[in-house]
Amino acid sequence: MFGAYLTATREKKPLVHCITNYVTVNDCANILLACGGSPIMADDAAEVEEITAICSALDINIGTLNERTVKSMLLAGRRANQLGHPVLLDPVGVGASHLRTRTAYDLIDGVKFTVIRGNISEIKTIYAGSGTTKGVDADVADAVTDDTVPQAAAFAKTLAARTGAVIAITGAIDIVADGSRAFAIRNGHPKMSRITGTGCMLSAVTCALVAANPGHTLEATAAAVCMMGICGEMAAAASGTGSFRAALIDAMSNLDGAGLDKAEKCEEVK
Amino acid sequence: MFGAYLTATREKKPLVHCITNYVTVNDCANILLACGGSPIMADDAAEVEEITAICSALDINIGTLNERTVKSMLLAGRRANQLGHPVLLDPVGVGASHLRTRTAYDLIDGVKFTVIRGNISEIKTIYAGSGTTKGVDADVADAVTDDTVPQAAAFAKTLAARTGAVIAITGAIDIVADGSRAFAIRNGHPKMSRITGTGCMLSAVTCALVAANPGHTLEATAAAVCMMGICGEMAAAASGTGSFRAALIDAMSNLDGAGLDKAEKCEEVK
Amino acid sequence: MFGAYLTATREKKPLVHCITNYVTVNDCANILLACGGSPIMADDAAEVEEITAICSALDINIGTLNERTVKSMLLAGRRANQLGHPVLLDPVGVGASHLRTRTAYDLIDGVKFTVIRGNISEIKTIYAGSGTTKGVDADVADAVTDDTVPQAAAFAKTLAARTGAVIAITGAIDIVADGSRAFAIRNGHPKMSRITGTGCMLSAVTCALVAANPGHTLEATAAAVCMMGICGEMAAAASGTGSFRAALIDAMSNLDGAGLDKAEKCEEVK
C-alpha cells in the first residue's frame, strides 16, 4: 500500500530542515539519509528562515529547547508556512514544564502544522491547549490498546480537525489521522522504547515522506510510522540496545518499497 | 555484593535529569536506559527547576558548559537539594580553564552534592578549591596504582568528609569513598579510554543507581563503577572503537544483578 | 608514502580543540581518538582562548553555528594564530545562508588558516569571497572527475596561494593543494555520503595529522584524506548505514602506518 511513498522519497531526496534537540540529532540526520532524504540542522534565528527556504520540509522538535531556539522555531515555522512547505511539530516532553507547554501552544498558535507527532501523553497535552477546551483533559485512555483503538482514533480525528494537522500518536499501537480518516498501525517492537530517539527519528522520516508526496500527507505519515516500526522489527535480533540503535538505521537504509508493502501492518479504523 | 542495587534500579526505573555536554549526551541517554533508568535532558534556566522536580536524581556535567547552562546548573542543583534528590557533579575538564574551575567551585559552594565523580586530575583540582587549603595541591600521586591505593583512598575520604559527597575517582583502578569507608575497584579495560564518554556515561548510571537505592549512596556508587568496568570488559572483544562503543551499551543492557555479583572486583580499603 | 604521518600522530597524541556542530560532534571526538589524537570540545567565549592554548591544533566547523559560537570561533582562531598552532576551517554549508557565508568570510579575514576543507561547492563559495574577485564564481566544474582534475587542482592552488592555507576539496576524487603542488586522491567509497559527518570527521583527523607533523601540512592533510577514504573502503561491507558509521571508526582505530602506505591512492597532479 505505502511502498510507492518510500520509492518517491528515495527518488526526490527531499532536503529537511531540522530544528531539533542535541540528544538525538545525529540519529535524526542519519535516519533521514537512510530513508532517502537529506538533513540540514540549523537553529540560529539569523539563518533559519533562509535555510528553511532552500528545504522541502521543516521538523520542529522541542526537546532541549531554549529561549534562543524557541524564537528560531517560530521564525522558521512562519516562513515555511508562507512558502507552503510541510511543517511537523514533535512536542517532546510537553507538559513536563511550563516552558515546553507554553512553547508548544505558542507554536500551534503561530504556525500552521502539517503533522503533529507525539506519544499519547504529549498529544493529550496538545489537545488540552487547543480550541476552546483549553485546560480540559482529553477523554481518552493513557495507552492505545486493541480495546481503545476506536476511541483513540476518534480523539485523533477531533484534534486533526481542530488543528488542520495530521495527528500521529505513537506507542505499541500507533494512530494516524486527519479530520476524516484514521489508521491503526501495529508495526514495531518493544525494544524501540529501550533506546532514546525513536520518536525523534520517526518525526524526521515523516518530514521526508510528506515532502516527497504532496497531497498525500495522511498516507505518507502512516507510511513513515509503518517504516519505523518495521525497522524496529528488523533490528530486534540485535544483541543489545547499542547494537539495536545501529541495526535500526541499517534496516531503514535497506528498506525499499516492496519491503514496506510486504511488512506494513496498517488498517483503517472505521 | 552489588547485584541487588542494579536489580532495584531496573525495578524502580528512576528518571534522571541530565544537564550535560553535547558531545556524549546521546550515549548518556542510551546507557541510562540500558541500566534501567530513564533520561530527561533539559538545560534552559526557565525549565530546569521544574524538570528536576519530576525526576529522582540530577546529573550535572560541566563539559561544553556555557554562561547560559552554568546558570541552569546552579538553579537545578539548588532545587534538587531542596527536594532531597541526589545530585552528582562530573567536573569534566576542571582545571583546563578558569571558567571550568570557577564553575566547579561555584557549584560546590552553592549546591550540596551527593556524589562527585572524575579522574584523579579533576578530583585533585576539586580538592584544591575545597575547604581552607584553597590552591594547595593534594598530596596524592597522579595515577592510582596498586602501590598508591591506600594513599588515594585516604585522599578520597578526606575530600568526602569535607564536601559531604561520596567521591569516585575513576581510572585503571577506581576509588569510591565516603568520609569513613573506601573501596578500590579493579573492573574495566584499557579500551574504555579509547572512546569518548565512558566517564560521562558512568556519571549518568551512578545517578540512576543512587536514586534507586536511597540510604546506600556509597555502595550504589561503587556498584555503578563496577558495572561500567564490567561492561568495558564484556565489550573488549569488539573489532574496533566504533563497535566497542555500541558493545559497551549492549553489555549494560544485558547485565543483571547475578552477572554483576559474579564479575565485580571490589574490595574495601582498610 | 604517508604512513609515517599516521605513526607520528599515534606517538604524539595531539590534543585538538574542536569548536564544532552538535550533529556530528561525538563522531569527531571518537574518530580523533581512533586516529591517535585526543579531543577537547569547548565553545564558550569565556574559555576558548585558554582551551586552545593547551591544545596542539584548532578545528573550526561552522555547522549549527550561532551568534555565541561565532564569537568564540574568532577568539580561538586569533589565539591559535598568536601561538602558531595549526587552525582548520570546515565551512559547512557556506553559501546556504548569509550568516554562514558572512561568518566564513569574517573568519578568513580575521584568522590565518592552515587548512580549509570542504566540498567543491563550499570551496567555490570561499573562493568567491577571497581576494579581489569577491562575488565572482570560480571557473571550475561542480564535481571533480577524471577530466576536471587538472582544472580543479589549478583552482585549489590559486585559492591556496591567496589564503596561505592548504586547500582540501573532498568528493569522489579529492584534491589537496598548497600554492605550488597538488594531489589527487582516489580513496573512498560512495557509502560515505550516505551517513552524516564524514566531512566533519575528516576535518578533525586532519587537525591531528597536521599538528603531529609540523612543516608538512600539505602531506599531512593528504594523508588524512587518504586515511578517511581507506576507512570508507574498509567499512563498505557493513550491512547498512548505521553499521557503516561504527565500522568507519573501527577502521580508523585499526589502521596503522603500513596499512596506510599500502592502501593510499594519491598522485601528484603535474
Side-chain angles (χ1 to χ4, degrees):
Chain A
M1 184 158 91
F2 293 140
Y5 297 108
L6 170 55
T7 305
T9 306
R10 293 205 185 277
E11 276 161 13
K12 295 184 186 175
K13 304 186 194 310
L15 198 53
V16 178
H17 176 198
C18 301
I19 304 181
T20 190
N21 67 76
Y22 56 79
V23 185
T24 64
V25 60
N26 185 273
D27 292 328
C28 289
N30 275 323
I31 205 140
L32 264 173
L33 286 160
C35 79
S38 194
I40 298 189
M41 274 62 182
D43 68 19
D44 197 71
E47 72 166 352
V48 290
E49 291 170 287
E50 273 177 279
I51 295 291
T52 256
I54 59 168
C55 290
S56 303
L58 171 63
D59 178 20
I60 297 180
N61 175 310
I62 68 168
T64 68
L65 81 181
N66 63 52
E67 256 184 281
R68 188 179 65 73
T69 56
V70 166
K71 211 176 298 173
S72 301
M73 291 171 189
L74 275 161
L75 286 170
R78 283 182 196 134
R79 185 86 184 102
N81 278 175
Q82 288 164 1
L83 296 164
H85 293 180
V87 191
L88 179 145
L89 175 64
D90 187 334
V92 177
V94 68
S97 74
H98 285 88
L99 176 65
R100 296 207 186 198
T101 305
R102 183 167 26 88
T103 297
Y105 293 173
D106 285 353
L107 283 166
I108 289 174
D109 282 348
V111 177
K112 192 187 165 334
F113 284 97
T114 314
V115 183
I116 301 174
R117 191 216 63 81
N119 61 34
I120 182 72
S121 152
E122 289 161 350
I123 297 298
K124 285 172 74 171
T125 304
I126 294 298
Y127 182 94
S130 75
T132 52
T133 60
K134 206 160 269 195
V136 178
D137 244 28
D139 182 22
V140 64
D142 276 333
V144 180
T145 61
D146 285 322
D147 289 346
T148 62
V149 161
Q151 181 200 37
F155 163 69
K157 279 157 109 170
T158 305
L159 182 57
R162 261 192 208 171
T163 57
V166 164
I167 302 298
I169 304 171
T170 52
I173 301 173
D174 312 299
I175 301 291
V176 177
D178 63 12
S180 52
R181 298 169 67 201
F183 293 109
I185 295 166
R186 285 176 169 82
N187 290 112
H189 194 280
K191 284 195 179 173
M192 296 173 79
S193 63
R194 292 205 60 207
I195 64 166
T196 191
T198 49
C200 302
M201 286 189 256
L202 171 54
S203 290
V205 168
T206 301
C207 285
L209 270 279
V210 169
N213 296 284
H216 298 276
T217 301
L218 178 67
E219 295 84 355
T221 302
V225 172
C226 289
M227 285 163 58
M228 200 70 205
I230 291 165
C231 291
E233 296 164 13
M234 291 168 71
S239 53
T241 60
S243 299
F244 180 80
R245 175 194 179 212
L248 197 68
I249 296 175
D250 281 351
M252 187 63 81
S253 71
N254 293 322
L255 189 67
D256 61 13
L260 173 52
D261 277 338
K262 202 171 155 184
E264 67 190 24
K265 293 183 192 158
C266 177
E267 51 176 18
E268 195 166 344
V269 185
K270 302 285 185 180
Chain B
M1 184 160 89
F2 293 141
Y5 298 108
L6 170 54
T7 305
T9 306
R10 293 203 186 280
E11 275 162 13
K12 294 185 187 175
K13 304 185 193 312
L15 197 54
V16 178
H17 176 199
C18 301
I19 304 181
T20 189
N21 67 77
Y22 56 79
V23 185
T24 64
V25 60
N26 184 274
D27 292 328
C28 290
N30 275 322
I31 205 138
L32 264 174
L33 286 160
C35 80
S38 193
I40 297 190
M41 275 62 182
D43 68 18
D44 197 70
E47 71 166 351
V48 290
E49 291 169 287
E50 273 176 279
I51 296 291
T52 255
I54 59 168
C55 290
S56 303
L58 171 64
D59 177 21
I60 297 181
N61 174 310
I62 68 168
T64 68
L65 82 181
N66 63 52
E67 256 184 281
R68 187 179 66 73
T69 54
V70 166
K71 211 176 297 172
S72 301
M73 291 171 189
L74 275 161
L75 285 170
R78 283 182 196 134
R79 185 84 185 105
N81 278 175
Q82 287 165 2
L83 295 164
H85 294 181
V87 191
L88 179 145
L89 175 64
D90 187 335
V92 178
V94 68
S97 74
H98 284 88
L99 177 65
R100 295 207 188 199
T101 305
R102 183 168 25 91
T103 297
Y105 293 173
D106 286 352
L107 283 166
I108 288 174
D109 281 349
V111 177
K112 192 187 164 334
F113 285 98
T114 315
V115 183
I116 302 174
R117 190 216 63 81
N119 61 35
I120 182 71
S121 152
E122 289 161 350
I123 298 296
K124 284 173 74 169
T125 304
I126 295 298
Y127 182 94
S130 74
T132 53
T133 62
K134 204 161 268 193
V136 178
D137 244 29
D139 182 21
V140 64
D142 276 334
V144 180
T145 61
D146 284 322
D147 288 346
T148 63
V149 160
Q151 181 200 37
F155 163 69
K157 279 157 110 172
T158 305
L159 182 56
R162 261 192 209 173
T163 57
V166 164
I167 303 297
I169 304 171
T170 52
I173 301 174
D174 313 297
I175 302 292
V176 177
D178 64 12
S180 52
R181 298 169 67 202
F183 294 109
I185 294 166
R186 284 176 169 83
N187 290 111
H189 194 279
K191 285 196 179 173
M192 295 173 80
S193 63
R194 293 204 59 206
I195 63 166
T196 191
T198 48
C200 302
M201 285 188 258
L202 171 54
S203 290
V205 168
T206 302
C207 285
L209 271 277
V210 168
N213 296 284
H216 298 277
T217 301
L218 178 68
E219 295 84 355
T221 301
V225 172
C226 290
M227 283 163 59
M228 201 70 204
I230 292 166
C231 291
E233 296 163 13
M234 290 167 71
S239 54
T241 60
S243 299
F244 179 80
R245 176 194 179 212
L248 196 68
I249 296 175
D250 281 352
M252 187 64 81
S253 71
N254 293 322
L255 189 66
D256 61 12
L260 172 53
D261 278 337
K262 201 170 156 185
E264 67 191 24
K265 294 183 192 156
C266 177
E267 51 176 17
E268 195 165 345
V269 186
K270 301 284 185 183
Chain C
M1 186 157 87
F2 294 141
Y5 298 107
L6 171 54
T7 305
T9 307
R10 293 204 186 278
E11 275 161 13
K12 295 184 188 176
K13 305 187 193 312
L15 198 53
V16 178
H17 177 198
C18 302
I19 304 181
T20 190
N21 67 76
Y22 57 79
V23 185
T24 64
V25 59
N26 184 274
D27 292 328
C28 290
N30 275 323
I31 205 139
L32 264 173
L33 286 160
C35 80
S38 194
I40 298 190
M41 276 62 182
D43 69 17
D44 197 70
E47 72 165 351
V48 289
E49 292 170 287
E50 273 176 280
I51 295 290
T52 254
I54 60 167
C55 290
S56 304
L58 172 63
D59 177 21
I60 297 181
N61 175 310
I62 68 168
T64 68
L65 80 181
N66 62 52
E67 256 183 283
R68 187 179 66 74
T69 56
V70 166
K71 210 176 297 172
S72 301
M73 291 171 190
L74 276 161
L75 286 170
R78 284 184 196 133
R79 186 84 184 103
N81 278 176
Q82 288 164 1
L83 296 164
H85 294 181
V87 191
L88 179 146
L89 175 64
D90 188 334
V92 178
V94 68
S97 75
H98 285 89
L99 176 66
R100 297 208 186 198
T101 305
R102 183 167 24 90
T103 297
Y105 292 173
D106 286 353
L107 283 166
I108 288 173
D109 282 349
V111 178
K112 193 187 164 336
F113 285 98
T114 315
V115 183
I116 302 174
R117 191 216 63 81
N119 61 35
I120 183 71
S121 152
E122 290 161 350
I123 298 296
K124 284 173 74 170
T125 304
I126 295 297
Y127 182 94
S130 74
T132 53
T133 62
K134 205 162 269 195
V136 178
D137 244 28
D139 183 22
V140 65
D142 276 335
V144 180
T145 61
D146 285 322
D147 288 347
T148 62
V149 161
Q151 181 200 37
F155 162 69
K157 279 155 108 171
T158 305
L159 182 57
R162 261 192 208 172
T163 57
V166 165
I167 303 297
I169 305 172
T170 51
I173 300 173
D174 312 298
I175 302 292
V176 177
D178 64 12
S180 53
R181 298 169 69 202
F183 293 110
I185 294 166
R186 285 178 169 82
N187 290 111
H189 194 279
K191 284 194 180 174
M192 295 173 81
S193 63
R194 292 203 61 206
I195 63 165
T196 192
T198 49
C200 302
M201 285 188 257
L202 171 54
S203 290
V205 168
T206 302
C207 285
L209 271 278
V210 169
N213 296 284
H216 298 276
T217 301
L218 178 68
E219 296 83 356
T221 301
V225 172
C226 289
M227 284 163 58
M228 200 71 205
I230 292 166
C231 292
E233 297 164 13
M234 290 167 72
S239 53
T241 60
S243 299
F244 179 80
R245 176 194 179 212
L248 197 68
I249 296 175
D250 282 351
M252 187 63 81
S253 71
N254 293 322
L255 189 66
D256 61 12
L260 172 54
D261 278 337
K262 201 172 157 183
E264 67 191 25
K265 294 184 192 156
C266 178
E267 51 176 18
E268 194 165 346
V269 185
K270 301 283 182 182

